């Protein structure tokens, strides 16, 4: 593996400098999560820091109000910039992923201990089925797939539940178009539909869906509290939210922000921040953070789990495909539209390191709206 990695890096040396130069702006902003990219869920908890940064001493309440408005405006701009970057990342990288892996854009399930022998694509399908089983999903009628990718989970659920109609939302116009085309080819256009939409401001009426599905999309949500509140809004009473999402290891501190989590080491914070830079993620949270936020919203039947062992073989498998000749040629082709896919490929090594150190986890959370 080490030899293959060196070969891959040599072949890609003409873009390596772009990937290795750290972003000073990112480092600076990560030190102040209350006024940096898309961290509205942290801002309220760091009002004193905002005040000290933006409001001159002695300005009184008016000065404080101005400072808070400035912070709110800065957060809104940062949120939009983050969402634009996420959309651009998936616009550029999704075609290659589809070519290499197919319609499922998430980790696979290789048995509870991660040692079952199966193809990677079958492991991805099994992840969907095992999560539905774990969430005790039986016969949903209206399903919302949040962060639907190219619609792999949406179509799988439409086939699995004959009375279900599934709506998928994504920030990526390319993913939306590909998801729609794939459903047409599969003869599922009547029961699946896809649209470009912001998960923090869903374009649906209250009490619309009886199942909300989020397969590895929660990590992209800049404000977890607002996102879960929006999920609660569109869920029908008695409806279930079911998610699998990237998290950091559980900690006693529940602060919804890895840079200010006192229970994470400096090295752990640095690694998480590197992954965030390449995959355009806001602050990392723990599974416990999600549980607390859902509890604060009054959600019922809260359960959580950690499936990191079950998906253990996945990221090494992704790296192997990147090292293959087909994968390398595909990566080079993506340079025509930008560097996002190349950066994402580099971040695979960081994800492997994060899982090996038991820092990065695959967290599961489910709850029911009262």
């Amino acid at each position: 593996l080490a030899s293959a990695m060196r070969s891959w890096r040599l072949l890609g040396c003409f873009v390596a400098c772009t990937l290795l130069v750290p972003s000073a702006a990112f480092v600076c902003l990560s030190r102040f999560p209350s006024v940096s990219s898309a961290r509205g869920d942290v801002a309220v908890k760091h009002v004193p820091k905002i005040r000290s940064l933006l409001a001159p001493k002695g300005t009184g309440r008016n000065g404080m109000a101005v400072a808070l408005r400035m912070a709110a405006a800065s957060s809104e701009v940062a949120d939009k910039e983050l969402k634009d970057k996420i959309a651009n990342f998936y616009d550029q990288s999704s075609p290659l992923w589809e070519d290499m892996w197919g319609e499922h854009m998430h980790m696979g399930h290789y048995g509870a201990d991660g040692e079952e022998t199966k193809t990677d694509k079958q492991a991805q399908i099994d992840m969907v089925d095992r999560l539905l089983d774990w969430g005790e999903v039986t016969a949903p009628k209206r399903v919302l797939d949040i962060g639907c990718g190219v619609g792999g989970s949406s179509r799988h659920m439409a086939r699995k539940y004959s009375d279900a109609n599934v709506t998928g939302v994504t920030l990526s116009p390319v993913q939306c178009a590909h998801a729609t085309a794939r459903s047409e080819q599969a003869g599922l256009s009547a029961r699946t539909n896809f649209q470009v939409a912001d998960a923090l401001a869903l374009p649906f009426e209250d009490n619309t869906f009886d199942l909300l599905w989020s397969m590895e999309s929660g990590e992209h949500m800049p404000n977890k509290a607002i996102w879960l509140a929006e999920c609660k809004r569109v869920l029908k009473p008695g409806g279930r939210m079911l998610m699998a999402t990237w998290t950091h290891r559980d900690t006693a501190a529940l602060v919804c922000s890895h840079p200010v989590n006192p229970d994470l080491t400096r090295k752990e914070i640095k690694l998480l921040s590197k992954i965030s830079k390449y995959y355009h993620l806001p602050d990392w949270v723990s599974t416990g953070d999600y549980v607390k936020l859902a509890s604060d919203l009054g959600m019922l039947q809260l359960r959580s789990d950690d499936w990191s062992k079950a998906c253990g073989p996945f990221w090494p498998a992704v790296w192997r495909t990147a090292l293959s000749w087909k994968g390398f040629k595909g990566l080079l082709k993506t340079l025509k539209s930008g560097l996002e896919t190349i950066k994402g490929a580099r971040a695979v090594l960081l994800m492997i390191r994060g899982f090996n150190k038991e820092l990065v986890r695959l967290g599961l959370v489910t709850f029911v709206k009262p």
Side-chain angles (χ1 to χ4, degrees):
L1 178 61
S3 176
M5 289 165 58
R6 285 193 297 270
S7 298
W8 189 86
R9 287 170 180 168
L10 287 172
L11 286 170
C13 65
F14 63 96
V15 295
C17 60
T18 305
L19 307 181
L20 295 175
V21 176
S23 169
F26 173 83
V27 173
C28 291
L29 287 175
S30 69
R31 296 295 183 270
F32 301 99
S34 54
V35 293
S36 60
S37 62
R39 293 175 174 117
D41 47 349
V42 183
V44 174
K45 299 179 182 179
H46 295 276
V47 168
K49 183 179 289 186
I50 295 174
R51 289 173 174 170
S52 65
L53 287 170
L54 299 178
K57 293 183 178 179
T59 55
R61 292 184 178 179
N62 289 338
M64 297 300 181
V66 170
L68 292 174
R69 284 197 296 271
M70 290 172 61
S74 175
S75 179
E76 289 178 5
V77 172
D79 281 1
K80 185 180 185 307
E81 290 177 351
L82 176 66
K83 292 167 187 173
D84 288 345
K85 289 177 180 179
I86 293 169
N88 185 51
F89 174 81
Y90 286 109
D91 279 351
Q92 291 188 27
S93 64
S94 293
L96 177 59
W97 182 274
E98 289 180 83
D99 186 42
M100 300 297 295
W101 283 79
E103 64 178 347
H104 290 283
M105 307 184 74
H106 54 78
M107 297 187 218
H109 192 288
Y110 299 84
D113 56 3
E115 296 183 0
E116 288 185 8
T117 301
K118 62 181 74 174
T119 66
D120 296 313
K121 290 184 179 180
Q122 184 60 51
Q124 290 176 301
I125 294 170
D126 289 348
M127 176 64 80
V128 178
D129 284 329
R130 297 295 80 76
L131 184 57
L132 289 167
D133 291 342
W134 180 83
E136 300 175 353
V137 176
T138 52
K141 297 291 196 300
R142 292 291 307 279
V143 180
L144 178 63
D145 185 352
I146 302 172
C148 63
V150 295
S153 292
S154 296
R155 283 182 293 277
H156 188 84
M157 287 186 284
R159 295 186 186 101
K160 188 179 184 74
Y161 306 112
S162 58
D163 293 331
N165 284 281
V166 186
T167 298
V169 294
T170 173
L171 289 173
S172 165
V174 169
Q175 286 188 337
C176 184
H178 289 201
T180 300
R182 282 178 172 271
S183 282
E184 289 175 354
Q185 294 169 3
L188 291 169
S189 295
R191 295 178 46 233
T192 61
N193 70 90
F194 304 95
Q195 55 187 286
V196 176
D198 181 357
L200 274 69
L202 292 165
F204 308 110
E205 299 293 329
D206 296 358
N207 308 318
T208 299
F209 301 96
D210 47 22
L211 175 63
L212 266 57
W213 171 269
S214 172
M215 176 64 83
E216 296 182 39
S217 63
E219 58 271 12
H220 280 299
M221 307 303 170
N223 189 312
K224 306 297 192 284
I226 290 178
W227 178 49
L228 292 188
E230 186 69 349
C231 290
K232 178 183 179 181
R233 181 185 69 79
V234 300
L235 265 178
K236 294 178 180 178
R240 179 176 293 278
M241 172 79 178
L242 182 56
M243 74 168 82
T245 183
W246 304 358
T247 62
H248 65 64
R249 63 177 177 83
D250 275 333
T251 59
L254 301 176
V255 295
C256 288
S257 172
H258 76 273
V260 298
N261 190 317
D263 298 331
L264 295 175
T265 68
R266 292 176 64 89
K267 287 184 177 180
E268 288 176 327
I269 291 171
K270 183 178 180 180
L271 178 55
L272 293 172
S273 295
K274 282 184 177 180
I275 297 171
S276 294
K277 180 175 69 172
Y278 290 128
Y279 284 138
H280 305 298
L281 306 177
D283 287 357
W284 288 70
V285 306
S286 68
T287 303
D289 284 316
Y290 279 111
V291 171
K292 183 180 185 302
L293 290 172
S295 179
D296 291 344
L297 287 169
M299 307 307 275
L300 305 176
Q301 301 181 36
L302 269 161
R303 288 190 294 124
S304 63
D305 207 344
D306 185 322
W307 281 9
S308 302
K309 287 185 178 180
C311 67
F314 178 77
W315 288 100
V318 174
W319 184 242
R320 286 193 297 272
T321 63
L323 294 176
S324 70
W325 183 239
K326 179 181 179 181
F328 180 73
K329 287 193 298 182
L331 285 169
L332 290 183
K333 289 180 181 178
T334 66
L335 291 174
K336 296 177 181 179
S337 55
L339 292 170
E340 293 301 323
T341 308
I342 295 285
K343 292 178 182 179
R346 175 173 171 75
V348 171
L349 291 173
L350 301 178
M351 290 294 288
I352 293 173
R353 187 189 308 172
F355 272 104
N356 287 343
K357 292 180 177 293
E358 298 186 353
L359 169 63
V360 176
R361 317 303 294 162
L362 181 63
L364 275 60
V365 178
T366 187
F367 52 75
V368 171
K369 178 177 176 177

